[in-house]
Amino acid sequence: LTLLQYNNRSDINIMDGMFETSEKKIYSLYKLFKHIDKVGKDYKPNKESNYYTEMKDKFIESMNNDFNTSLAISYAFDYITKLSQMADNKNQIQDMVDIKYALIDIYKVLELFQKDIDSTLNNIRNKYMKINSITEEEVLKLIEQRKQYKENKDYQSADEIRNKLTDN
């Protein structure tokens, strides 16, 4: 993902944290995919949907424009943003299923969004727990403690725990 976000005719300036940023994007996307699988389990993707057609046209346009993968990736993330906005709307489950399917189907030529959802989420989660020397039990304990703080309207302490959990 990181490398495909750059135009093939330009140099890539490798900077600290750029691969981790892409990994966080993938983690968030796969969490969204998992949510869509849960709420849309009774829905079938529609390859004839407006979303699918529009996404495919934009992808082809970007590939025909000198194999412009950076444009193709930006189009994908436009739809990922739409998915995030739709996530809690029960009236848009079919649209979410269609967009997810389109992302997976159209971007397979770039080998994006093709990994197993659960194993990808687990691999990334385990990697960062190991890096930060924290166990899943400790994370769950912090989440429960944060919930207690929020219930007691101690938002400052709840925010401190949230920041601790999300900083890495």
Side-chain angles (χ1 to χ4, degrees), residues 111-137:
E111 294 189 26
L112 287 177
F113 320 130
Q114 305 300 305
K115 303 281 185 194
D116 177 73
I117 294 169
D118 287 329
S119 60
T120 300
L121 290 172
N122 286 334
N123 288 342
I124 294 171
R125 184 181 314 112
N126 291 339
K127 173 185 172 182
Y128 284 96
M129 284 193 303
K130 185 175 181 178
I131 288 171
N132 293 296
S133 301
I134 191 167
T135 66
E136 188 170 353
E137 292 79 25

Side-chain angles (χ1 to χ4, degrees), residues 46-64 72 75-76 79 98-99 101-103 105-109:
N46 178 6
K47 200 170 185 171
E48 305 299 320
S49 75
N50 289 339
Y51 283 115
Y52 188 95
T53 305
E54 182 180 286
M55 291 170 72
K56 186 174 182 180
D57 289 346
K58 286 183 174 186
F59 181 82
I60 290 170
E61 171 193 324
S62 61
M63 292 296 100
N64 286 339
Y75 286 149
Y79 287 98
D98 292 344
I99 292 171
Y101 173 76
L103 284 167
D105 192 51
I106 294 167
Y107 285 82
K108 70 182 165 194
V109 71

Side-chain angles (χ1 to χ4, degrees), residues 137-157:
E137 292 79 25
E138 291 169 319
V139 170
L140 293 173
K141 190 183 280 188
L142 285 169
I143 291 170
E144 186 58 38
Q145 188 177 15
R146 181 173 186 265
K147 183 179 171 185
Q148 299 269 327
Y149 284 139
K150 285 174 71 174
E151 287 174 2
N152 295 332
K153 300 187 188 310
D154 184 355
Y155 299 114
Q156 182 178 353
S157 297

